[in-house]
Amino acid sequence: MNQKNSLESLLNKLKDKGIKETQILLELERSFLDTDPATFIDHQREERCGYPEVIYGLHKSAERILSASREILKLKTNVLISRINQEKANILITEFPDAFYCETAQIAYIGDFIQKFDSKLLIISAGTSDESVVKEAYYSALAFGLKPTLIQDLGVAGLHRLLAYKDELSQADCIIVAAGMEGALPSVVGGLTTAPIIAVPTSVGYGANMEGVTTMMAMLSSCASGLSVVNIDNGFGAAYAALRMIKTFEKK
Amino acid sequence: MNQKNSLESLLNKLKDKGIKETQILLELERSFLDTDPATFIDHQREERCGYPEVIYGLHKSAERILSASREILKLKTNVLISRINQEKANILITEFPDAFYCETAQIAYIGDFIQKFDSKLLIISAGTSDESVVKEAYYSALAFGLKPTLIQDLGVAGLHRLLAYKDELSQADCIIVAAGMEGALPSVVGGLTTAPIIAVPTSVGYGANMEGVTTMMAMLSSCASGLSVVNIDNGFGAAYAALRMIKTFEKK
Amino acid sequence: MNQKNSLESLLNKLKDKGIKETQILLELERSFLDTDPATFIDHQREERCGYPEVIYGLHKSAERILSASREILKLKTNVLISRINQEKANILITEFPDAFYCETAQIAYIGDFIQKFDSKLLIISAGTSDESVVKEAYYSALAFGLKPTLIQDLGVAGLHRLLAYKDELSQADCIIVAAGMEGALPSVVGGLTTAPIIAVPTSVGYGANMEGVTTMMAMLSSCASGLSVVNIDNGFGAAYAALRMIKTFEKK
Amino acid sequence: MNQKNSLESLLNKLKDKGIKETQILLELERSFLDTDPATFIDHQREERCGYPEVIYGLHKSAERILSASREILKLKTNVLISRINQEKANILITEFPDAFYCETAQIAYIGDFIQKFDSKLLIISAGTSDESVVKEAYYSALAFGLKPTLIQDLGVAGLHRLLAYKDELSQADCIIVAAGMEGALPSVVGGLTTAPIIAVPTSVGYGANMEGVTTMMAMLSSCASGLSVVNIDNGFGAAYAALRMIKTFEKK
Amino acid sequence: MNQKNSLESLLNKLKDKGIKETQILLELERSFLDTDPATFIDHQREERCGYPEVIYGLHKSAERILSASREILKLKTNVLISRINQEKANILITEFPDAFYCETAQIAYIGDFIQKFDSKLLIISAGTSDESVVKEAYYSALAFGLKPTLIQDLGVAGLHRLLAYKDELSQADCIIVAAGMEGALPSVVGGLTTAPIIAVPTSVGYGANMEGVTTMMAMLSSCASGLSVVNIDNGFGAAYAALRMIKTFEKK
Amino acid sequence: MNQKNSLESLLNKLKDKGIKETQILLELERSFLDTDPATFIDHQREERCGYPEVIYGLHKSAERILSASREILKLKTNVLISRINQEKANILITEFPDAFYCETAQIAYIGDFIQKFDSKLLIISAGTSDESVVKEAYYSALAFGLKPTLIQDLGVAGLHRLLAYKDELSQADCIIVAAGMEGALPSVVGGLTTAPIIAVPTSVGYGANMEGVTTMMAMLSSCASGLSVVNIDNGFGAAYAALRMIKTFEKK
Amino acid sequence: MNQKNSLESLLNKLKDKGIKETQILLELERSFLDTDPATFIDHQREERCGYPEVIYGLHKSAERILSASREILKLKTNVLISRINQEKANILITEFPDAFYCETAQIAYIGDFIQKFDSKLLIISAGTSDESVVKEAYYSALAFGLKPTLIQDLGVAGLHRLLAYKDELSQADCIIVAAGMEGALPSVVGGLTTAPIIAVPTSVGYGANMEGVTTMMAMLSSCASGLSVVNIDNGFGAAYAALRMIKTFEKK
Amino acid sequence: MNQKNSLESLLNKLKDKGIKETQILLELERSFLDTDPATFIDHQREERCGYPEVIYGLHKSAERILSASREILKLKTNVLISRINQEKANILITEFPDAFYCETAQIAYIGDFIQKFDSKLLIISAGTSDESVVKEAYYSALAFGLKPTLIQDLGVAGLHRLLAYKDELSQADCIIVAAGMEGALPSVVGGLTTAPIIAVPTSVGYGANMEGVTTMMAMLSSCASGLSVVNIDNGFGAAYAALRMIKTFEKK
């Protein structure tokens, strides 16, 4: 019994009970209106906030992602879908064959990647297991029109690799630093550079790592001053924080 | 080896050991009595509490849900089953083809939806991912005879949508507010209206959200006075709290 | 028995035991060197990091704060001391009568406040109980040469006050948002502006607030994209994050 | 060095540095404006929310409580101060000798107690150690114009006392139930009555009680349907929730 | 590559490297000895502790359970296997067709149920969802030679059912009380009887229940004196605690 | 302004407002009745539960403890006061000079210690820092008429001491085992004896010990079967659990 | 759509948008460089740290494990892969048929096991369920050239077994002690020997065990002095800690 | 009423009740024996464990510390007292004027510091606020006969200072690394050296640091292999772990 049927059966039941038809209609109008929230795309947001439309795909069905995408693309030229798995992406690509999709990052993007900002955004990670998070940040940044560079596997237990990238660190305008386990990388980077640093804890680790909670708490307790932190595995949010910063200061 | 067999084998073993038959019978009578608790339907509850019979389906097998439903319907005209998945619902519908079922809400209802109360119950959610929770609240309310209206996707990061529903907020007699993530919506609504507010934290979010625990704790820490909170994802409980309030005050 | 005496007695004991004097001297030299770490002021840091010298006063005695301040002022013209209470500040002011001190912020500053940057830094709080935190941010920002504006008491349960400052929000280049309890203010501000937002959870609240941990977790779970978060009550850290951002982008 | 002096010294420093006086004035005007937030009494709130003005006294000095009270009483005839200790209350009473103060409840009230609503609000507690919480609820309710009755010490380990009050329970229109330790009382009451129940966890207990967190979590997990919960020790909030409910339904 | 092969390949590698054969043999002897710990059945335990042999089946393969059972049955006449699922039980029953198995309780028992003790052990539960836990306690008690009676579904939200069993409560020599959610049942029973009470928290619940941790903490915080508590869902442990008590006192 | 005055002022205010005197009286009667809950001594409890009257002194003033003691002693010959500090005890002793008081245990007892039961209750602790907890258990047991023996400092890091008391362990009818830190002692004792064991976690430790929560959780996770656990530092509760057991089985 | 395709489509999109080809190439070069981090094997590490190359297999695909192994074996003669399941191991063994694999330990090793150190490393466990962890430690130690002996199932609830191995304990140079549940074994061993002890908490247990967190916290709170602890289930880390110790002291 | 009096009054009460005098004497003998556990000094421990006698002073009165010290010094030539504050130390020094005391470390030592071991023990800290912890480790190590060197303030946010001590790091035989906040220092040191590393989390930090729990969890989650961790602030335990290691390997 699909959802439409269940609403019909509800309608009939209510009518049978002698509830006034106008009241039922009013109720159902409201109800239908709200039943498919995907149709309430916030088209004013880019005007208001200046940012692209994003669909958070995790809890949404492929159908709902598709209908939301269609709705957005009536008025805009691109849409970013985050946390979308391969299976849902395949359905999306059937309708939008030009869509970009990266399985590691769980990111899909319909539209063209156009660089709009010149500031240097450096994205680094502590280990190769953080790859899905930094790639979410990387492709989100590309979709936002930022200019990201990605360097992986600079964990603090092998300082020589990090120090080899000292120039990149000192030239960056903004640095996204992802790390799991004890989350020490942002603290070390914070002592090597004056640039703004957005720390992203990842859920890489086990046991005492508490699925990234320890990493996040450690980053918030950093001995390096002026770091700021986003949610666990939130590569998208880190890129968005960079967008807020770069867009605001470049337009000045 | 099914459960009946295991009890039989137990019976034989006990007899073989020379335990007196009367004692075994006494024991088994008690034992059987308690083995299928579904037969102990609390028919006095509606008389005592004035509320409909509800079966919490999560940990129960389809068979136990069915037998409990049959038992209830001998004496009453309706029964609500919460947290029942599609698979179990299909078995229920085979026997009760008129049963209403909504997969999103995981709610089944056997009987007629009859509105018994006139107070305006407004149910709102912060995001589309909270849909299963508000629909659980919505259909529970319908089954209780309440008059609910459902509006979704009014999250605080887009205040314009919430403010567009200011009239609905100010006219409501009771408001159920569901939100996940940081759980800010009840606080904002609490400042816009004098009506009673039942806040429902949802498990929508990840990482620092701690599967809804952060949301719940945040709602309990709200800066808006006089909110009260139910368990995570407990749409049914929120509707029931509304029922307690509305039934008590309308009958006065 | 003070610490100096205990070291002398240790010296004598070691000598009495026939341990070679040179070894003792070597050990003590190292030991003394490390005993008063305040003498190891990191004078290279401003060259390296471009930022002023800061003394974190919480766990330090007035004497250690004084000696560290003297050491710093040999080479530099100012020093900021955070988390310094009235009692320690009185001792500091005896030696540096021109020192600025704000008890609410627990901040002392020796030197002149000189504005070096033009970007608009807006600092707002949800409630009057967050005052110590936003004042720590405000005076830290002043000492860093930033241009902060402070507006207090804009909590989400009274949206009209926040909306009255819409212009300030939209004109700011960077916004520090402090809130306790459920920590909803940054989410609401995040939907009203495109500027970078640094969220500061405060320990204002009780019970389910868990001394600010709930607030912090809630901010990290925000439904508004691109917020970043610092530690609980860390007004200084928020100002420092603003400094990293503004200094990097203004010098471009 | 008091705060005024620190601001003056700040003013002089800024002037000495050649910062334009107008800019300083502008800044200070804003700054002063926000320095004493107590002057921004939300006089529109009662019009908007229909509720009395409340000062949360915990983090505020006696001086700030006094100035806020004076400001409120220019326009209104009463004010409730919660979480105010004996020492601060003494200062308040010096200026307002008719003020009511209850040390157990840590509540002060300036104005007359006038009953405005007829609904029966029953306030019960599990043990005598919950007294401060239920008295906070009781006097808050009196100040709100509600009609509360208080019965203490009905804990579930002595069911006979609770059952002796069965009539009061069944006649109440709204019940506030406070309990510490395992927090079982609301569940038991929830099975005895159909009235709305507001559960207040108290921090009475030790060890596994986790300063009331266990109690709160237990109440939120209650097997009785339709309970709603407020923050730990939040007697005021429970009374306010009752006010929202009773005011809304009595005015219908 | 199975485990035997891997040990052989290890053996060859070690020999190839010129490690002395005697050393390898010694090592392997020790190693093999410890590789299959199931062969180290603690046959002395019943003599030492007076209790039957038990195999905790959760982390063990069917093969290991079988070999351990065979080993035990060489010297004894019965063995209890806890936390064994249907699939493993089927393999066990192939070899021991007379074995008793209850899927709900996840308990298997090879041997005869012989009552050895006369004390009345009452086992009660708050809800039907606690069934697997109380049945684990019930069949463990039967296997231990105790005389258990099981009554289910006596939750505190329906006091009338509990009070209907007042006689059973007052006549019991020892009571095991299992409950999930807020875990209030032991507190209420504790006030109705002077018998020893062993409280078993179950993981029935969701959200704020924290998978039974809230229930356990609540029981440990009980307002009823003299309750003692076992681990979450530990029906076996509760029966064992009853065995310790009854065996000790009956033999006096 | 004491509490009586505040009630009088409340009375006058209510009268001034024209509220009917009878209603005020009714309200106040109820109110006064409940204001001093100490007068509601549960004299029926010993009849019902068979146990002595106990006053939990922690949150109560010396005055309230005194009045409750007087009330109890009208009908009974003894009373136990737990968690009572030296200062309150001094006031108690002024009125009851024969009262027994142990500061370490924070226990006072008015009446005679009369042994009523013969079972051997052994109370042991892991370290000398657990002394206050085991002495609370010891004197509570004495007051209950039990026959306790106390042996301290048998921690598992020095097995030789524990093994030296093997006879005492094997002859005991019930063993209370208190330990802090990692809480290992009950597990070791559980393997050495078949007697019932009541484990008492103590808050002795720091850091990872989490004020005894780790100890408690560890005891509940014990590898020894059939242990049961009471709340942190709950020596009284452990003695009470022993009382339930011994009284029930000795009277058989 | 595989990852290579997605990068190609990205390339084309960027070119279509008129972004300079050189810039794209530069970006891609960097991007490709970092895309397969497995190629950045830290060949200098053994020189620097003196230890073998290890691949942490948990989050890596079989392909990435293979390519990393190949890369390492160009320069070295062995490689250890930890946390590799049977399925991935099968693929590894297809290419490296001589590879050693132990499914219980989830460890693969390519190369010869050559003993390089003579110190006696004793590895013991509390229960048979800890087998996977101690075998991870055992085979890691073998691969490191250490001389491990493994004894399982010495839990503290059966002290006789532990005491039977007193000689092994007193002759060991370093002891790795793994235990789950309450984690008491290291404390007992710590009192029996003066050797260094590395405690490994395992996730064996349920409920209050909190997936090994309780065990870990308990070990860190041990009453035995001088224990040190590694992460939950971290048999590899324990062996590595032993390697650090033994290598450093044997080379002296 | 002191403890002696309370025992006397207890004695009299018991006698008055006609309890046999021999039984009282037996009981009291046992009771007195155990009442002052300080007299049960574990003189066999050094023989058994080879380590000095230590008194953990935190929960002990000055009197008990004194009597324990006297008892120990009858048989041995030295004693270490940890966690002893200035006030208690003053009393100790009155009797033992040659005693060494360091207030920062809260350590007292009676006896001579005699170096017995040659291995290089390096103790480093991340910040000056960790001083009390590293000094506890330093003086404990001195008392154990170890050869410690202490270097403070090498936090990872200023890598240049740490790298300046590269020689000391590479020459050390064992390194104790103390850090608070995010606890990153051990990870970085772990990558720079092959020596054994004992990580000590300190409670330096606030908010997300959770009083050192975050630091501890972060260290246990370190990306550097082979670190082991002791309890929060446990400088003494770290020195003891070093003693176990050095004593075992030097005596070989």
Side-chain angles (χ1 to χ4, degrees), chain C residues 93-114:
Chain C
I93 289 166
T94 307
E95 180 159 337
F96 300 99
D98 288 341
F100 165 81
Y101 179 64
C102 170
E103 192 189 358
T104 308
Q106 300 273 301
I107 283 239
Y109 181 67
I110 306 171
D112 301 315
F113 290 99
I114 303 172

Side-chain angles (χ1 to χ4, degrees), chain E residues 49 51 190-191 194-195 228-229 244, chain F residues 48-49 51 190 194-195 228-229 244:
Chain E
C49 286
Y51 296 145
T194 63
S228 65
V229 183
R244 284 182 175 270
Chain F
R48 206 163 20 84
C49 288
Y51 296 143
T194 63
S228 65
V229 183
R244 283 182 177 269

Side-chain angles (χ1 to χ4, degrees), chain D residues 192-217:
Chain D
L192 295 172
T193 170
T194 62
I197 294 171
I198 301 159
V200 192
T202 74
S203 58
V204 168
Y206 61 92
N209 182 264
M210 308 294 277
E211 295 174 16
V213 173
T214 291
T215 317
M216 182 178 68
M217 298 300 245

Side-chain angles (χ1 to χ4, degrees), chain A residues 3-4 7 31-41 54-73 79-82 84 88 91-92 95-96 110, chain B residues 102 104-105 125 127-135 150 152-153:
Chain A
Q3 184 167 305
K4 197 177 163 188
L7 283 166
S31 175
F32 261 104
L33 209 76
D34 298 313
T35 295
D36 187 0
T39 60
F40 286 90
I41 300 305
V54 179
I55 299 170
Y56 181 64
L58 189 58
H59 300 289
K60 298 199 180 69
S61 65
E63 289 66 34
R64 189 156 281 187
I65 292 172
L66 259 182
S67 67
S69 300
R70 278 185 217 115
E71 199 70 21
I72 290 169
L73 292 171
V79 61
L80 178 73
I81 303 120
S82 70
I84 173 172
K88 293 179 191 172
I91 296 169
L92 189 81
E95 178 158 340
F96 300 98
I110 306 170
Chain B
C102 170
T104 306
S125 75
T128 60
S129 303
D130 305 316
E131 189 173 7
S132 62
V133 177
V134 284
K135 289 221 161 147
L150 173 62
Q152 295 187 71
D153 205 14

Side-chain angles (χ1 to χ4, degrees), chain A residues 48-49 51 119 173 190-191 193-196 216-217 220 225-231 237 240-241 244-245 248-249 252, chain C residues 48-49 51 119 173 190-191 193-196 216-217 220 225-231 237 240-241 244-245 248-249 252:
Chain A
R48 206 166 20 84
C49 287
Y51 297 144
S119 298
D173 295 313
T193 170
T194 61
M216 182 177 69
M217 298 299 244
L220 286 159
S225 299
L227 309 185
S228 64
V229 183
V230 297
N231 199 359
Y240 207 106
R244 283 182 176 270
M245 194 185 299
T248 299
F249 282 98
K252 284 188 72 168
Chain C
R48 206 163 21 84
C49 287
Y51 297 142
S119 297
D173 295 311
T193 168
T194 62
M216 183 178 67
M217 298 299 246
L220 286 158
S225 299
L227 309 185
S228 64
V229 182
V230 297
N231 199 358
Y240 207 107
R244 284 182 175 269
M245 194 186 299
T248 298
F249 282 99
K252 284 188 69 171

Side-chain angles (χ1 to χ4, degrees), chain B residues 48-49 51 119 173 190-191 193-196 216-217 220 225-231 237 240-241 244-245 248-249 252, chain D residues 48-49 51 119 173 190-191 193-196 216-217 220 225-231 237 240-241 244-245 248-249 252:
Chain B
R48 207 165 18 84
C49 287
Y51 296 145
S119 297
D173 296 312
T193 169
T194 63
M216 182 177 68
M217 299 299 245
L220 286 157
S225 299
L227 309 185
S228 64
V229 182
V230 297
N231 200 0
Y240 207 107
R244 283 181 177 271
M245 193 185 300
T248 299
F249 283 98
K252 283 188 69 169
Chain D
R48 205 164 21 83
C49 287
Y51 297 143
S119 298
D173 296 311
T193 170
T194 62
M216 182 178 68
M217 298 300 245
L220 287 157
S225 299
L227 309 185
S228 64
V229 183
V230 298
N231 200 358
Y240 206 107
R244 283 181 176 269
M245 193 186 300
T248 298
F249 283 98
K252 283 188 69 168

Side-chain angles (χ1 to χ4, degrees), chain H residues 2 37 56 96 120 140 144 149 185 196 231-232 245 248:
Chain H
N2 61 21
Y56 180 65
F96 300 99
K120 288 178 194 143
S140 298
F144 295 158
T149 304
L185 188 56
N231 199 358
I232 299 166
M245 195 186 300
T248 298

